[in-house]
Amino acid sequence: MAYGETLAVRGKPDAERRPFGSEWKKEFLFDPTWRNLNHGSFGTYPLHIRDKLRGYQDQAEARPDQFIRYDQPGLLDEARGAVARLVKAPVDTVVFVGNATEGVNTVLRNLAWAEDGRDVILSFSTVYEACGKAADYLVEYFGARGGGLEHRSIEIAYPLEDDEITAAFREAVRRVRDDDGKRARVAVLDVVSSRPGVAFPWVDVVAACRELGVLSLVDGAQGVGMVLLDLGAADPDFFVSNCHKWLHVPRGCAVLYTPERNQGLLRTTLATSHGYTPRRRRDGDEDEDDETTTTPLPPKSADKSAYVSNFEFVGTRDNAPYLCVKDAIAWREDVCGGEDRVLEYLWALNKKGIRTVADALGTEYLDNAKGTLTDCAMGNVALPVVWAGGRGGGGGGGAGAKETDVVVPEEHRDTVLQWMGETLVRDYRTFMSQFIMGDRYWVRLSAQIYLDEGDYEAGAAILKELCGRIGKREYLKE
């Protein structure tokens, strides 16, 4: 379903709008020879926001104590207010962290795991690797201390319909509870998965979590600025989304949402800093007074919750990207024509662009019957390249290959992946995220307002030539 079919476009009148596409590249800081087809990995921001960023940094250097101690808290509040309105959440439920991975770690490391050893962390097989490893670390840590925390993966293989994913989650919770006598404590899930880059039915899975008594931890790294978010309606237990990917905010900046009912569970930031309040050592003990008194960083406000105050100052770091959030939202409204116009363009370009690339390569793009996997700004295209040890496409050993496909020997599987990335950057001055699904190599492309169909046509030509070079085994000649 096209974005514009479900939501009327707001913003400036048609007559005042400048069409999105390649002309918008001059609004950004790109090298003129670089074609940015991988916005989804690191994002980027326009020149206007660069100037805002430098302005905040200059203020911090002009009067460090004044800015960091007294000016910055109010500017952070303005930024929190702007993003809270965008994601439709109460302002006191949102704070900033450095990136989505930090947000996921913050939640997982704050949760108190049951001493009976029955707690299970669930994630899907498409979980972002760093977030999956955060769960693995906790299993290792508590296992070394005699605990029994477990991390289980819910295996899914695309293409899938949304209800199949929700059903797989429900079945995983049932097995944990009924078959193994354990407790599904928290589920880590995406808004838009990374590889493959597909829209995930996170609202439905969050609802299932609520029904089944499982805490929902939503990794929306690919979220705000790319899909519509209504956190008040969806009501996840925890939600984090990078602002520096799709919202045109400088790196690194992510919004962490925690409803009031769960804020008491997040007792410390990473790293623990001034906002942390330790528990008394023994019941009935009075807190010991400090022998010295210092000026707090920042000064404590009676109007702010412990949750907001805790995340307001996490040591000395450059918080200028956080402050740019309100400026980026304003730029997207005033210059781009509003969030709806941006998202409508991204979704339409994504759906059309990946078809263009797949047609040029004689392959396919990844979607399901209802077309919901591409309801976002990232799409995935199969390459005419398979590896001989794969399991997909009808058998393995490259059995899914067409006569026109290049077959990579099993021992060269990872070498080819590495060579593809390096060659795209070095020889073609672009990048597309590569991955293997089944026995086939795929690429992920990102739509953005500075791209148009011509960029996808150029990307297709690059990929066609690159695949031909793989067939000649050029990856072994360097």
Side-chain angles (χ1 to χ4, degrees):
M1 181 179 292
Y3 182 89
E5 294 177 14
T6 59
L7 186 68
V9 178
R10 299 188 296 272
K12 296 183 179 180
D14 287 342
E16 299 180 31
R17 293 176 181 162
R18 177 156 55 105
F20 292 134
S22 60
E23 285 297 311
W24 282 73
K25 292 175 184 175
K26 60 188 178 185
E27 297 277 353
F28 293 80
L29 292 90
F30 296 125
D31 179 332
T33 67
W34 180 260
R35 193 181 302 273
N36 205 54
L37 298 174
N38 185 39
H39 186 98
S41 281
F42 304 115
T44 193
Y45 51 92
L47 289 159
H48 175 76
I49 301 303
R50 187 273 310 272
D51 294 341
K52 293 290 185 180
L53 175 73
R54 301 284 169 80
Y56 294 126
Q57 292 170 333
D58 288 349
Q59 291 180 64
E61 302 315 312
R63 298 184 179 185
D65 279 285
Q66 174 180 321
F67 186 81
I68 294 172
R69 292 178 186 272
Y70 304 110
D71 297 343
Q72 185 171 260
L75 293 170
L76 280 171
D77 290 342
E78 292 177 11
R80 289 193 307 107
V83 77
R85 289 188 292 274
L86 182 63
V87 301
K88 296 181 172 59
V91 67
D92 286 343
T93 64
V94 298
V95 294
F96 293 117
V97 292
N99 54 60
T101 303
E102 180 182 333
V104 170
N105 271 266
T106 299
V107 173
L108 290 178
R109 296 186 187 217
N110 269 280
L111 293 179
W113 306 101
E115 295 182 0
D116 61 13
R118 294 170 54 211
D119 282 347
V120 175
I121 302 171
L122 290 175
S123 65
F124 290 82
S125 56
T126 51
V127 67
Y128 185 61
E129 292 90 338
C131 296
K133 289 181 178 180
D136 291 339
Y137 169 77
L138 290 175
V139 170
E140 180 180 306
Y141 177 81
F142 284 99
R145 295 166 61 91
L149 181 63
E150 186 179 352
H151 175 208
R152 293 190 187 182
S153 176
I154 304 170
E155 297 299 317
I156 55 176
Y158 287 106
L160 284 173
E161 301 302 323
D162 292 348
D163 55 359
E164 293 178 298
I165 294 173
T166 306
F169 172 73
R170 289 180 175 276
E171 173 59 18
V173 175
R174 187 203 65 77
R175 287 197 303 267
V176 168
R177 182 191 61 223
D178 298 342
D179 296 353
D180 302 324
K182 292 197 170 188
R183 179 190 308 110
R185 179 73 189 288
V186 60
V188 183
L189 55 138
D190 299 323
V191 171
V192 176
S193 299
S194 178
R195 284 182 300 273
V198 293
F200 190 88
W202 70 276
V203 174
D204 294 339
V205 178
V206 164
C209 285
R210 189 162 50 248
E211 175 188 334
L212 299 171
V214 181
L215 290 173
S216 55
L217 170 51
V218 183
D219 172 18
Q222 312 276 359
V224 63
M226 196 227 286
V227 298
L228 285 176
L229 298 174
D230 187 338
L231 299 185
D235 195 27
D237 288 302
F238 305 97
F239 183 102
V240 61
S241 186
N242 286 325
C243 299
H244 61 246
K245 286 186 183 282
W246 296 94
L247 200 60
H248 298 129
V249 171
R251 295 176 290 272
C253 174
V255 56
L256 173 62
Y257 161 87
T258 309
E260 185 177 355
R261 66 178 181 272
N262 292 331
Q263 290 177 6
L265 299 177
L266 303 188
R267 299 192 55 246
T268 179
T269 55
L270 297 182
T272 300
S273 193
H274 292 274
Y276 173 70
T277 302
R279 294 193 176 103
R280 296 176 179 178
R281 292 184 182 275
R282 295 186 303 273
D283 291 341
D285 283 354
E286 296 295 330
D287 291 334
E288 296 181 2
D289 293 331
D290 291 336
E291 294 182 1
T292 59
T293 301
T294 60
T295 304
L297 276 167
K300 291 185 178 181
S301 171
D303 297 331
K304 293 181 182 178
S305 66
Y307 169 71
V308 171
S309 296
N310 201 7
F311 284 86
E312 193 167 65
F313 184 85
V314 186
T316 303
R317 61 172 59 173
D318 183 4
N319 285 339
Y322 299 175
L323 309 183
C324 289
V325 168
K326 72 177 188 304
D327 303 305
I329 293 172
W331 182 81
R332 289 161 68 89
E333 180 67 32
D334 299 338
V335 178
C336 299
E339 289 298 312
D340 298 342
R341 183 178 181 236
V342 171
L343 269 61
E344 180 186 37
Y345 183 80
L346 298 189
W347 286 28
L349 180 60
N350 177 49
K351 289 174 181 288
K352 187 175 183 180
I354 57 175
R355 290 191 189 100
T356 297
V357 177
D359 288 346
L361 297 177
T363 59
E364 61 180 348
Y365 59 90
L366 182 61
D367 209 347
N368 56 19
K370 294 183 179 178
T372 59
L373 297 183
T374 56
D375 283 347
C376 58
M378 295 195 299
N380 313 274
V381 178
L383 299 181
V385 181
V386 298
W387 69 290
R391 300 184 302 277
K402 303 176 183 177
E403 289 185 4
T404 54
D405 283 337
V406 173
V407 179
V408 173
E410 184 171 357
E411 63 270 22
H412 298 163
R413 173 186 184 270
D414 294 337
T415 300
V416 168
L417 275 180
Q418 182 72 21
W419 178 86
M420 286 172 62
E422 293 174 355
T423 303
L424 283 169
V425 169
R426 182 188 65 233
D427 295 352
Y428 300 102
R429 295 179 293 281
T430 190
F431 191 86
M432 289 165 265
S433 183
Q434 321 96 42
F435 60 97
I436 294 175
M437 190 164 59
D439 63 356
R440 188 167 293 277
Y441 289 77
W442 292 70
V443 292
R444 187 195 72 193
L445 298 99
S446 299
Q448 218 2 289
I449 61 172
Y450 50 73
L451 299 176
D452 52 35
E453 193 171 358
D455 291 292
Y456 281 82
E457 292 169 351
I462 290 169
L463 291 171
K464 194 169 185 177
E465 183 175 316
L466 188 71
C467 293
R469 294 174 66 179
I470 295 172
K472 297 175 183 177
R473 297 197 179 184
E474 288 190 24
Y475 56 86
L476 297 177
K477 301 176 183 178
E478 299 179 4

